[in-house]
Amino acid sequence: MTQTMIATILLIGLFLVLVFARVPIVYAIGIASLADFFYLGINPMQMALKFVSNLNSYTLLAVPFFITMGELMGAGGVTERLIDFSKELVGWVRGGAAMVNVVASFFFGGISGSSSADCASLGPIEIKMMEEQGYDRPFSTCLTMASSVEGILVPPSQNMVIYTLAAAGVTTVSIGQLFLAGYVPGAVLSLVLMIYSYYYSKKNGIPVTGRFHPKKCMRSLLRSVWGLLAVLIVVVGVIAGVFTTTESAAVAVVWSLMVGLFIYRGFRLRDIPHIFHNVTMTLGKVLILIGVSGAFTYLLTYLKIPENASRMLLSVTGNKILILILLNLLMLFLGCLIEMACLILMLTPVVLPIWMALGLSPIHLGVVMVLNLGIGLLTPPVGSTLFIGSAISGIRIEKLSKAMLPFYITMAAALLILTYFPQSFMWLPEMMY
């Protein structure tokens, strides 16, 4: 075997061994990369340089701002107002409580940008509300977890920002286009979950409660609009060219602070240090992953792994449908094992050249990858949202995983629609740009 082949096996093999041995993902990436640097005879200082250079990005500043905005909005009382609005909007149809769960996640996801934050913030309220309407706890928890994935599709999403950074070595991806492309997929996921909820409610005889009141609906919308404006600031600001992504995120943080302190009064000045502590803890995990993955991505490029993987896959089959199935299966499998932000950084340089060789848009891949890895957040052994769902419901992970099977199938249906019918959502960014 050649030195390049041995180095490739060492890098990927050692990383996977450490992951399966339950070594924290940051250490697994770092150890595998450092071992490969030594084997290839590359100065290990290059690893430190790649760590720093990966963090030296103006666009990356948007990530801490988005995380801060989500924390401020979550603490500021937005959650209850969005649930009230969702109740007035869809709570009167069959399966209303389940529909409220899905719609509230769609709105809150645009504020938090995080599946975990969505599940942790809305979950306790939504699960209790659904149980009062006659749903059992496993179904209520599973729907809460599944709908939380809307949070990483609907902009602004820090994972989409990370994707644009990971794709930069291959091609330029417009964050504005990617944000716009996330709305319809978020709605598609909502729709398939609502259809399944309607079927489940009818099958189990869940009664219809309440009636639609236009005036109450409008009043609840006006109460929640201050929180929703934070999302409009980001999305409209970026699309209209008024702000860069980073600037719009910073403005949204200031707006969220004002709303939480003076309009909703969900927190006080003395609570701000605790909120920023939560931001720092989350941000520390994200930034160290981005830094360490810089060395890993450098080695992938140095060893020409993306080119070789593309050539090998295209030599096996030229069937576009089959290649897309294989790529989806790869992302789903790895999403069960590796943390989302890290996997985006590692997988994008490998998959994107293959995707583009099929004549498909990098925006399309961004949406499909985010949904794939979002499903991974709900699967054992490392699904963070699955762990949160288990914690807030008191149901064991084994039982929750089994109860999630219909939702995996439902979400896979949404994934297939978005994979094979990209014009179902690409029309929006193409029209606006």
Side-chain angles (χ1 to χ4, degrees):
M1 288 193 294
T2 64
Q3 184 188 40
T4 300
M5 190 177 295
I6 294 173
T8 302
I9 294 171
L10 177 63
L11 179 67
I12 305 298
L14 182 56
F15 170 73
L16 291 176
V17 167
L18 292 171
V19 168
F20 281 108
R22 300 295 181 90
V23 174
I25 194 74
V26 171
Y27 298 125
I29 297 171
I31 293 169
S33 301
L34 189 60
D36 229 41
F37 271 102
F38 279 119
Y39 175 75
L40 291 167
I42 302 173
N43 188 338
M45 280 302 296
Q46 284 291 327
M47 184 171 175
L49 290 173
K50 293 300 173 185
F51 185 102
V52 174
S53 64
N54 226 35
L55 296 176
N56 187 21
S57 168
Y58 177 72
T59 306
L60 185 59
L61 284 172
V63 174
F65 285 129
F66 284 143
I67 293 173
T68 305
M69 183 186 82
E71 287 286 343
L72 288 169
M73 281 295 181
V78 177
T79 304
E80 294 81 2
R81 288 165 177 83
L82 289 178
I83 290 178
D84 288 342
F85 175 51
S86 301
K87 282 180 182 177
E88 296 297 336
L89 195 64
V90 295
W92 51 276
V93 300
R94 182 173 292 280
M99 306 286 186
V100 169
N101 189 322
V102 176
V103 172
S105 291
F106 184 89
F107 289 134
F108 188 76
I111 293 171
S112 71
S114 166
S115 170
S116 300
D118 187 311
C119 186
S121 300
L122 299 179
I125 304 171
E126 291 174 336
I127 292 170
K128 181 181 178 182
M129 173 186 68
M130 290 182 66
E131 286 185 309
E132 289 173 352
Q133 295 293 325
Y135 295 90
D136 61 41
R137 178 160 286 209
F139 177 85
S140 305
T141 306
C142 290
L143 181 62
T144 301
M145 293 189 299
S147 65
S148 72
V149 176
E150 297 163 25
I152 56 177
L153 285 169
V154 179
S157 166
Q158 56 260 32
N159 288 295
M160 288 185 173
V161 176
I162 293 171
Y163 171 77
T164 62
L165 294 171
V170 181
T171 187
T172 302
V173 179
S174 164
I175 186 63
Q177 284 185 295
L178 194 55
F179 277 177
L180 276 176
Y183 276 112
V184 176
V188 169
L189 180 58
S190 299
L191 183 61
V192 296
L193 290 174
M194 290 170 81
I195 290 171
Y196 176 65
S197 298
Y198 178 85
Y199 163 77
Y200 179 92
S201 302
K202 194 168 184 179
K203 180 183 175 183
N204 291 275
I206 305 295
V208 178
T209 57
R211 286 167 46 188
F212 180 63
H213 299 281
K215 289 184 179 179
K216 288 184 178 179
C217 186
M218 185 56 64
R219 280 199 296 268
S220 61
L221 171 60
L222 292 174
R223 284 194 294 268
S224 62
V225 74
W226 298 106
L228 296 174
L229 279 174
V231 180
L232 289 177
I233 289 171
V234 175
V235 178
V236 176
V238 172
I239 294 167
V242 179
F243 306 119
T244 65
T245 308
T246 303
E247 290 166 349
S248 65
V251 172
V253 167
V254 176
W255 176 261
S256 303
L257 186 62
M258 295 300 102
V259 169
L261 277 175
F262 303 117
I263 298 177
Y264 291 161
R265 298 181 181 179
F267 57 84
R268 300 178 183 179
L269 285 172
R270 66 186 180 199
D271 299 320
I272 291 178
H274 176 70
I275 292 171
F276 278 92
H277 174 266
N278 293 339
V279 171
T280 304
M281 295 300 290
T282 303
L283 185 59
K285 297 173 186 176
V286 173
L287 291 183
I288 196 169
L289 279 172
I290 293 173
V292 172
S293 66
F296 194 90
T297 304
Y298 169 78
L299 289 169
L300 290 178
T301 307
Y302 182 86
L303 297 170
K304 298 183 178 179
I305 292 175
E307 296 93 326
N308 293 333
S310 176
R311 195 180 304 113
M312 182 179 69
L313 185 58
L314 293 174
S315 67
V316 171
T317 177
N319 188 307
K320 186 175 178 178
I321 295 175
L322 185 57
I323 291 173
L324 290 175
I325 289 175
L326 292 174
L327 290 176
N328 273 299
L329 289 174
L330 173 66
M331 289 186 275
L332 284 170
F333 172 71
L334 293 177
C336 297
L337 303 174
I338 302 172
E339 195 272 340
M340 184 175 187
C342 177
L343 196 52
I344 290 174
L345 291 161
M346 292 166 51
L347 208 52
T348 301
V350 178
V351 175
L352 185 53
I354 304 173
W355 200 268
M356 295 177 69
L358 298 174
L360 299 172
S361 167
I363 301 291
H364 181 198
L365 174 61
V367 170
V368 171
M369 180 178 286
V370 165
L371 179 53
N372 263 302
L373 305 187
I375 296 172
L377 296 173
L378 313 178
T379 57
V382 296
S384 57
T385 304
L386 182 66
F387 294 149
I388 291 172
S390 175
I392 62 178
S393 65
I395 302 173
R396 290 184 304 166
I397 288 175
E398 296 85 354
K399 186 175 180 180
L400 267 187
S401 300
K402 185 177 179 181
M404 275 297 298
L405 288 175
F407 291 94
Y408 293 143
I409 296 169
T410 303
M411 298 176 80
L415 180 60
L416 289 174
I417 292 170
L418 300 176
T419 299
Y420 290 106
F421 301 97
Q423 285 308 316
S424 64
F425 65 91
M426 286 296 293
W427 62 269
L428 183 56
E430 288 174 0
M431 179 181 70
M432 295 300 293
Y433 281 83

